[in-house]
Amino acid sequence: MNAIMNWMERYFIPVASKIGAQRHLVAVRDGFVAIMPLIILGSFAVLINNLPVEVFQNFMESLFGEGWTAVGGNIWDGSFAILSLLVVAGISYNLAKSYNVDGMSAMLISLASYIILTPTTEDWGLAYAWTGAQGLFVGVITALLTTELFRVLYLSKFTIKMPDGVPDGVIKSFRALIPATIILILVSLVQIFINSATDGSLHELIFNLIQEPLQALGNTLPAAIIIAFLNHLLWFFGLHGTNILGPVIESIYLPLLEVNIQQFASGVSAYDVPYIITKPFLDAYVFMGGSGTTLALIFAIFLVAKTKHYRAIGKIAAPAGGFNINEPVLFGLPVVLNPVMLIPFIFIPVLLTITSYFALATGLVPKTVAMVPWTTPPVVSGYLVTGGSITGIILQLFNLILATLLYIPFIRASESAEEKKQQIIQEEMKGENKS
């Protein structure tokens, strides 16, 4: 165990730390985080419109009329329907600010570039098919590349300099004029070339060659297991695995969730929507209490822990753990860099990924059709993400009970190891006093 820990600390941790702090990945992560309120709001709008409770539906119709769902539909139009546009804006702005260049100009140029690359309808409107989650891959690439090109041009000599005394906003806009011109011409030429070569758009080309296979792979159990394993391996060494893997998780699993939500909104049962693995699947059934399913760890502490330290940490961590915030238990127990806790912390979430996958795949539990805040407590989240099914709660309770039972022997082993460590320290202190 020590040899493995030493190897990981020497070779794995430095690489993972660099990846976690990499400028472009951070910009992608922060871009998604910035729009998360709109994603959650749009998801709840669809959920409320299609909540499968007849009494509720009849009440809302009698109160507001047959068109009461128009409000939720409009919210969806302003959130999920333009998801890619929001992501482009968020990523570009954050990446530009990390370079200390004009974030607003970079964001507007990236949005303009994305619109050039996006197919239009017959009446010259943007096609919702590509402004939503299906266009995310092109959106992320467009934001990164155009912002990098903007940075190079913006910091070069090929900009318009304004005299002293001109307002700062005017200086920035004129300085961005030549970079914007060059970028939009290049993007336009790319669009013309792709259209002539494929009789389609960059969106269609990327979706057919890359995004569709990635999404198909992401919906598989092996892919979900790999993500669960890597997330917790990173966390074990004190690295924020959720943030490091966030760009991958968001890019692959948000489009799958949107398809589920769209079909659910059109009247398809939550059991019959296509995708099993989505972001709320991981949040609701695996990351209960936070990464490591640490709400179960807290339950195990209350059940079997004897030392004052463990029980005190359990009491301190329990309120936050109920809302999936687990830093108090991760660093207070600690779980991080605790060899005894390595196995349960990493492999319990992997096991819960498997049990949850088969529960949804066999039809025992509906698939996820709503995005809820990651701080939503278990039981509540299980009900909401399934479109209002009690079986979502039952699966969460099953997973929590299973995880608690699996954590118990490791709590005892960890306490035993701590007691032996304290005994050795006391014996050494006694020996020093005698000498």
Side-chain angles (χ1 to χ4, degrees), residues 26 48 53 90 123 130 187 287 319 330 365:
V26 170
I48 292 172
V53 179
D123 55 356
W130 302 111
V187 173
F287 301 154
L330 287 182
V365 178

Side-chain angles (χ1 to χ4, degrees), residues 88 92 96 101-117 141-156 158-159 175-192:
V88 170
S92 182
V101 298
D102 186 2
M104 181 62 70
S105 294
M107 178 183 72
L108 294 174
I109 293 169
S110 293
L111 281 171
S113 300
Y114 183 78
I115 290 172
I116 290 173
L117 296 170
I141 300 302
T142 301
L144 294 176
L145 292 180
T146 55
T147 305
E148 281 293 337
L149 184 54
F150 172 78
R151 174 184 66 87
V152 173
L153 296 171
Y154 190 81
L155 297 176
S156 70
F158 300 102
T159 55
R175 187 175 179 182
L177 179 58
I178 293 177
T181 303
I182 295 172
I183 291 171
L184 294 187
I185 290 174
L186 289 175
V187 173
S188 180
L189 291 174
V190 169
Q191 171 61 12
I192 292 171

Side-chain angles (χ1 to χ4, degrees), residues 49 57-58 60-74:
N49 277 5
Q57 295 289 336
N58 292 337
M60 295 297 287
E61 185 173 336
S62 64
L63 193 63
F64 299 108
E66 292 184 359
W68 72 272
T69 57
V71 174
N74 291 336

Side-chain angles (χ1 to χ4, degrees), residues 84-386:
S84 291
L85 292 172
L86 299 173
V87 166
V88 170
I91 293 173
S92 182
Y93 181 84
N94 283 289
L95 182 57
K97 295 300 287 184
S98 73
Y99 285 118
N100 292 318
V101 298
D102 186 2
M104 181 62 70
S105 294
M107 178 183 72
L108 294 174
I109 293 169
S110 293
L111 281 171
S113 300
Y114 183 78
I115 290 172
I116 290 173
L117 296 170
T118 302
T120 56
T121 59
E122 292 181 359
D123 55 356
W124 300 100
L126 289 177
Y128 269 177
W130 302 111
T131 59
Q134 193 163 290
L136 272 178
F137 199 92
V138 173
V140 171
I141 300 302
T142 301
L144 294 176
L145 292 180
T146 55
T147 305
E148 281 293 337
L149 184 54
F150 172 78
R151 174 184 66 87
V152 173
L153 296 171
Y154 190 81
L155 297 176
S156 70
K157 297 179 181 179
F158 300 102
T159 55
I160 298 175
K161 308 293 184 182
M162 300 298 291
D164 295 337
V166 177
D168 187 58
V170 177
I171 292 174
K172 287 183 177 180
S173 63
F174 272 90
R175 187 175 179 182
L177 179 58
I178 293 177
T181 303
I182 295 172
I183 291 171
L184 294 187
I185 290 174
L186 289 175
V187 173
S188 180
L189 291 174
V190 169
Q191 171 61 12
I192 292 171
F193 173 77
I194 292 174
N195 185 259
S196 61
T198 66
D199 197 26
S201 68
L202 179 62
H203 284 276
E204 294 162 320
L205 179 64
I206 293 294
F207 184 79
N208 292 331
L209 294 180
I210 299 175
Q211 191 168 347
E212 194 171 27
L214 274 179
Q215 290 179 3
L217 178 64
N219 191 49
T220 63
L221 180 58
I225 289 173
I226 290 171
I227 286 176
F229 177 83
L230 289 177
N231 176 67
H232 293 88
L233 181 64
L234 290 165
W235 261 118
F236 179 79
F237 288 96
L239 302 171
H240 203 302
T242 311
N243 282 352
I244 293 173
L245 297 177
V248 177
I249 295 173
E250 306 284 359
S251 299
I252 294 177
Y253 290 125
L254 276 181
L256 303 188
L257 174 64
E258 192 202 16
V259 172
N260 283 1
I261 290 175
Q262 285 178 333
Q263 294 200 12
F264 183 66
S266 68
V268 177
S269 167
Y271 287 96
D272 298 325
V273 296
Y275 295 113
I276 296 173
I277 309 296
T278 63
K279 190 175 186 302
F281 169 92
L282 297 170
D283 289 340
Y285 301 128
V286 181
F287 301 154
M288 289 177 287
S291 294
T293 322
T294 46
L295 187 59
L297 174 58
I298 294 171
F299 290 158
I301 288 172
F302 287 138
L303 288 174
V304 302
K306 297 178 181 179
T307 61
K308 291 182 179 179
H309 170 68
Y310 274 48
R311 298 192 70 82
I313 292 297
K315 292 176 182 177
I316 293 171
F323 293 92
N324 303 320
I325 300 168
N326 65 350
E327 279 79 0
V329 71
L330 287 182
F331 297 100
L333 200 62
V335 173
V336 172
L337 294 177
N338 182 347
V340 180
M341 300 303 295
L342 172 64
I343 293 175
F345 182 73
I346 292 179
F347 288 102
I348 285 175
V350 170
L351 177 61
L352 299 191
T353 301
I354 296 171
T355 61
S356 303
Y357 181 89
F358 282 109
L360 273 65
T362 56
L364 294 175
V365 178
K367 301 180 183 74
T368 53
V369 291
M371 184 75 174
V372 299
W374 63 271
T375 52
T376 305
V379 176
V380 177
S381 61
Y383 181 80
L384 292 176
V385 300
T386 54

